[in-house]
Amino acid sequence: MLSMNANSSGPLLQLLSNGLQIWIRGQCDEVGELKLNLQGSALQLLRGKLEGVSLTARKVSFQKLPLLRAELKTSSLQAHINPSHPGQPIQLSHSFNIDGEVVFNGADLNRALASDRWSWLGDLLSEQLMGLTPLRSLSIDDDLLELQAAVIATQDPVRARFGLEASEGTIQITHLETGKSLLLPMDPGIHIQKAHLKAGQLILEGTATVSP
């Protein structure tokens, strides 16, 4: 699904929009819904430059992490298109920045941490914060995070609750009882500015640098 600024119609913009949509989908495992708003004059578009792109995406899987929703805005883009091949992704020649907000559902995160791709992160959380491994489950209770870890000697898991906030460009998780905290490993191109839990969701605000 694709939407554009109604005041910026025309075949060139449509071509750019189609190419950008294909490029975005190519960076993700899955995109359920995608809305784009392209900013730029006709002359800039002819020169392959966009002042920026605003996008809203829903039900996105990026590197096997399920995003419930993303609202993002880019810096200016240098883009190249081939009019004779409208089905090809847009070619981006320079790095650009993205600012915005992404939202994760707690139940989706729990399933992701149980997958082969991200089980190492779940085990890191339980080992570093609870001294136990493997992680059995993760859940979000309003503004608190709850982790459950398995114990071999008993069928009942150990439960602990945690606070969460942004710190040093990443996410800091703190054990409410012991005060022990962990900074999550983060891609150096991503800087988390705000992080909080609400109504079963993890909400992050930050910036990222994307290289073509």
Side-chain angles (χ1 to χ4, degrees):
M1 179 176 179
L2 174 67
S3 70
M4 299 176 295
N5 189 328
N7 297 322
S8 304
S9 60
L12 180 59
L13 185 69
Q14 182 66 59
L15 191 61
L16 280 168
S17 298
N18 289 344
L20 188 56
Q21 180 181 208
I22 293 170
W23 184 86
I24 292 171
R25 291 183 180 277
Q27 307 306 303
C28 303
D29 308 310
E30 182 180 350
V31 179
E33 179 181 339
L34 178 63
K35 296 180 180 179
L36 298 178
N37 188 343
L38 280 60
Q39 295 91 41
S41 67
L43 181 59
Q44 287 174 323
L45 293 175
L46 285 170
R47 293 174 175 173
K49 183 176 181 179
L50 291 172
E51 292 180 3
V53 176
S54 299
L55 69 88
T56 299
R58 297 182 182 277
K59 296 183 179 179
V60 177
S61 175
F62 179 70
Q63 295 185 1
K64 304 302 181 181
L65 275 178
L67 282 68
L68 181 65
R69 175 174 53 84
E71 295 184 3
L72 307 172
K73 185 175 183 179
T74 75
S75 60
S76 61
L77 303 176
Q78 293 286 343
H80 299 284
I81 58 173
N82 187 346
S84 62
H85 295 85
Q88 290 185 346
I90 199 170
Q91 299 297 312
L92 300 171
S93 56
H94 294 81
S95 299
F96 60 95
N97 295 326
I98 296 177
D99 298 284
E101 176 183 279
V102 295
V103 179
F104 299 86
N105 176 273
D108 290 340
L109 275 179
N110 182 52
R111 285 190 288 271
L113 292 179
S115 69
D116 292 339
R117 175 68 174 81
W118 291 103
S119 61
W120 68 270
L121 180 57
D123 291 344
L124 177 69
L125 290 173
S126 61
E127 181 179 6
Q128 295 296 315
L129 294 170
M130 302 171 65
L132 297 168
T133 190
L135 179 72
R136 176 172 288 187
S137 70
L138 171 150
S139 61
I140 300 174
D141 182 10
D142 194 18
D143 62 345
L144 295 177
L145 183 72
E146 181 175 290
L147 301 180
Q148 296 186 23
V151 180
I152 297 177
T154 176
Q155 293 183 347
D156 295 327
V158 173
R159 296 177 173 86
R161 293 163 75 82
F162 302 83
L164 180 148
E165 63 182 347
S167 179
E168 300 182 30
T170 184
I171 301 169
Q172 179 172 283
I173 301 175
T174 304
H175 197 299
L176 294 183
E177 292 186 3
T178 67
K180 188 173 184 178
S181 64
L182 172 68
L183 291 172
L184 295 187
M186 186 63 60
D187 187 304
I190 298 175
H191 185 89
I192 304 298
Q193 297 168 327
K194 295 181 180 180
H196 66 278
L197 303 168
K198 182 179 180 180
Q201 298 177 346
L202 167 62
I203 304 168
L204 303 178
E205 296 180 35
T207 64
T209 300
V210 178
S211 300

